[in-house]
Amino acid sequence: FGPSCNVSQVDLSHHLSSEARMRKPNPMKEIWKLTRRKPNMVSLANGDPHFSLYPMRRIEYEMASIEEADPVAAWRKAGPSAASTKLVSSTYEPCALPLQTGLQYSHGAGLPDCQRVVTELTKFYHNPPDHVCTLALGNSDGIAKCFRLLGERGDYFLADEFSFSSITNVPLAQGIKWAGVKMDDGGMIPEDLENVLANWDTARGRRPHVLYIVPCGQNPTGSTLSVERRKQIYEISQRFDLMIIEDDPYYFLQYDSLSASTTDFSTPFVPSLLSMDTDGRVLRVDSFSKIMAPGMRLGWITSSALFHTHLVSYTDASTHHPHGFGQMLITELLSGPKGWQIEGFDRWVRSLRAEYHRRRALFLTLFEREVAPTGLARAAVPEAGMFVWIRIALERHPRLRGDLRRVPGGDRAGPRTNCAALMEELFERCLDAGLVIMPASIFALPVDAKDADVEDPVEDRLNYLRATFAGTEEAMEQGLAILGQTLREFFADEQ
Ligand code: PLP
């Protein structure tokens, strides 16, 4: 599962940052590899604590049984008495990844057994041509590593104009700037991406060479890119020589047609950008956070061999591979004697998406009951993920100044309206009423003032809130009732 050379991929080494080029491989790890040069090598080389000194010898995981037709529903419903499967990682019992290996120092790519199972998983869902997997500590870590791999101080990266700020704030300290791409209900608009690239003024700096994108259930807007848009975006990336960071934690949470109340388990997932990547320009980042548990802090990056090698070097010089506990569990689950295997994993994630589909349906029903009748807000129905993007009809607010609609050709610089201030006030009122909900302002891509869109300032488009249906039914019920009532009061307020 190490890097392999593929002549069909394009040479993309010019995308590497000077930091990545200057980084030397960890010399200790290079020597460590030599212990596997031939069988029975004797090592006096490493300070590896011997496994007999680990104060643990057995870990048991009680996992949901995937024998049921809808395993997630069965697991939730029966709680502590739901059918389960017990898996074991042990020093002395047979298992897929024994403790003496799983808890030892290992390679930056991850423990080879775990790297093998996530490679098989990636092949099963995406079948990418000639790519290699590198373990990471979830998507946040994986993406931060990709930014370091590709970003040079002064570079511009591209992203949706509303993006997940927990990620888009990360490379700012590296001296990277953002250029926003416009979105509609279907996510990033390929024509606008092309427009930004084709009309790039090099006085600003070199043309952006990295695109950060969330193709399914985008955070915060909940939008999902159609296959057609994905193909267009990939083609534009080839034409303008872009690297793509495909951040896809909601891949498995894709829902059926908007009206259906239950999910057909067999519906195929939309093809990823990785699956289309003949050039080796996609760095896809996957996570177990949304499909197992966020505290696992485990994910993986799939890339061409070139970028894999540099990711490994960076990992060996920073976090080192993710903790052994999570890697042992995943290895046991996907390949161990009693594990789910990939077929069982597939049954679990398809059942999970049915569960989130039910939650989405409940959220929308409650929204229709509690908020829609006010006529003051509209919810965009997400085709994936766990977020609903709610547009607030600020044009109906008695204290709105200016026109929310963009005037084509208007030459006014700066905001036309007091949208930002009113939304701030609405956010405070929700808080006072006991509701925490995310304001659009925190997702506006952090662009430099000199790069802001003066014709259509983002401050005039902040009339959105992000709500999630990931929580409990009570939270949705109470939260949407508070939102409906707060909107009524806020819009009735003349002062
Ligand atoms: N990327 C996006 C778009 C997300 O929505 C999230 C979590 O909410 C993450 C990344 C973080 O994922 P992880 O927990 O794997 O770091």
Side-chain angles (χ1 to χ4, degrees):
F1 295 93
S4 65
C5 185
N6 177 7
V7 284
S8 71
Q9 287 182 342
V10 175
D11 178 6
L12 296 169
S13 53
H14 54 279
H15 287 284
L16 287 167
S17 62
S18 43
E19 175 191 340
R21 288 163 200 272
M22 283 191 303
R23 188 172 293 114
K24 289 200 168 77
N26 183 328
M28 309 282 287
K29 298 254 171 159
E30 293 301 307
I31 300 265
W32 175 77
K33 282 186 207 155
L34 301 176
T35 57
R36 287 177 294 164
R37 187 178 230 178
K38 59 179 188 174
N40 303 325
M41 290 287 281
V42 175
S43 171
L44 292 179
N46 281 0
D48 296 347
H50 191 257
F51 70 86
S52 59
L53 300 176
Y54 303 165
M56 63 286 251
R57 64 179 178 203
R58 186 174 194 277
I59 303 166
E60 188 176 87
Y61 320 91
E62 188 166 357
M63 306 297 296
S65 159
I66 36 86
E67 297 308 318
E68 322 287 328
D70 189 352
V72 174
W75 181 245
R76 277 197 74 211
K77 200 160 154 224
S81 57
S84 64
T85 307
K86 289 193 174 143
L87 309 179
V88 169
S89 297
S90 162
T91 310
Y92 301 104
E93 296 164 62
C95 58
L97 180 50
L99 256 62
Q100 54 270 47
T101 315
L103 294 182
Q104 192 49 272
Y105 287 120
S106 188
H107 189 252
L111 292 157
D113 291 296
C114 190
Q115 192 202 11
R116 179 178 50 77
V117 297
V118 298
T119 301
E120 282 164 11
L121 204 62
T122 306
K123 201 160 186 302
F124 184 81
Y125 290 105
H126 310 286
N127 202 15
D130 294 292
H131 284 66
V132 191
C133 295
T134 316
L135 273 280
L137 285 71
N139 277 32
S140 311
D141 173 55
I143 296 159
K145 284 177 172 148
C146 293
F147 288 160
R148 295 288 291 268
L149 203 66
L150 303 171
E152 206 65 69
R153 178 168 289 276
D155 272 359
Y156 280 83
F157 284 2
L158 296 155
D160 289 308
E161 57 176 355
F162 287 99
S163 269
F164 184 46
S165 36
S166 183
I167 297 280
T168 51
N169 277 351
V170 169
L172 298 178
Q174 218 181 309
I176 284 158
K177 299 173 191 178
W178 287 103
V181 182
K182 294 261 183 311
M183 316 172 71
D184 61 14
D185 289 350
M188 183 175 283
I189 303 172
E191 291 73 17
D192 195 58
L193 173 63
E194 174 153 13
N195 189 32
V196 172
L197 289 162
N199 297 312
W200 188 260
D201 177 0
T202 45
R204 288 167 84 182
R206 75 164 153 161
R207 200 175 62 199
H209 71 119
V210 175
L211 168 66
Y212 165 71
I213 195 159
V214 181
C216 294
Q218 198 260 8
N219 192 352
T221 64
S223 59
T224 297
L225 290 169
S226 64
V227 182
E228 195 43 45
R229 280 201 180 182
R230 290 171 195 231
K231 286 187 184 154
Q232 282 175 278
I233 288 171
Y234 189 75
E235 186 276 322
I236 292 168
S237 302
Q238 287 183 304
R239 217 158 7 102
F240 288 91
D241 191 22
L242 285 182
M243 291 297 297
I244 302 177
I245 301 176
E246 179 178 39
D247 175 16
D248 208 359
Y250 306 108
Y251 170 77
F252 294 108
L253 307 183
Q254 296 180 26
Y255 313 120
D256 272 358
S257 70
L258 305 182
S259 54
S261 59
T262 54
T263 290
D264 174 358
F265 282 35
S266 61
T267 312
F269 296 108
V270 180
S272 60
L273 287 155
L274 176 71
S275 69
M276 305 171 183
D277 185 27
T278 44
D279 292 356
R281 60 179 70 251
V282 175
L283 295 145
R284 179 183 166 85
V285 197
D286 277 284
S287 174
F288 287 109
S289 284
K290 310 293 178 183
I291 48 174
M292 299 283 290
M296 295 243 338
R297 304 315 306 142
L298 196 61
W300 70 101
I301 306 162
T302 311
S303 69
S304 73
L306 169 77
F307 295 106
H308 165 77
T309 305
H310 285 273
L311 284 166
V312 169
S313 272
Y314 183 29
T315 305
D316 278 338
S318 57
T319 57
H320 292 254
H321 62 85
H323 56 93
F325 295 108
Q327 295 195 67
M328 286 191 295
L329 167 57
I330 289 301
T331 310
E332 217 53 55
L333 190 70
L334 296 178
S335 69
K338 294 196 179 147
W340 290 354
Q341 313 301 323
I342 290 182
E343 293 69 27
F345 172 88
D346 190 58
R347 205 172 312 155
W348 178 263
V349 289
R350 285 173 187 276
S351 169
L352 190 65
R353 80 168 166 174
E355 169 63 26
Y356 276 104
H357 192 155
R358 284 189 284 271
R359 284 164 188 251
R360 182 190 72 169
L362 175 66
F363 183 101
L364 295 172
T365 304
L366 292 169
F367 190 90
E368 280 307 303
R369 194 181 80 196
E370 304 289 344
V371 183
T374 64
L376 302 173
R378 191 168 46 83
V381 180
E383 290 171 49
M386 41 180 67
F387 300 114
V388 180
W389 194 230
I390 301 171
R391 182 183 184 281
I392 306 299
L394 270 196
E395 59 279 3
R396 296 189 49 189
H397 196 280
R399 284 188 284 117
L400 177 77
R401 289 196 307 274
D403 193 342
L404 283 177
R405 284 165 309 175
R406 181 183 172 199
V407 188
D411 55 0
R412 199 195 140 97
R416 304 180 294 269
T417 68
N418 59 339
C419 169
L422 286 176
M423 287 305 293
E424 173 117 31
E425 204 180 316
L426 174 60
F427 173 70
E428 290 295 334
R429 288 202 184 205
C430 288
L431 281 184
D432 289 345
L435 172 65
V436 186
I437 193 161
M438 289 289 191
S441 55
I442 67 155
F443 299 108
L445 197 64
V447 295
D448 274 7
K450 67 176 170 44
D451 295 321
D453 182 345
V454 289
E455 278 183 26
D456 193 14
V458 74
E459 288 85 351
D460 294 326
R461 288 178 283 123
L462 295 180
N463 53 321
Y464 291 85
L465 296 171
R466 190 199 80 175
T468 180
F469 48 94
T472 62
E473 293 174 8
E474 300 76 60
M476 286 189 243
E477 179 121 33
Q478 291 171 13
L480 289 171
I482 297 175
L483 180 62
Q485 185 54 28
T486 308
L487 283 171
R488 273 193 196 88
E489 291 167 10
F490 180 52
F491 275 73
D493 181 7
E494 301 281 342
Q495 298 144 42

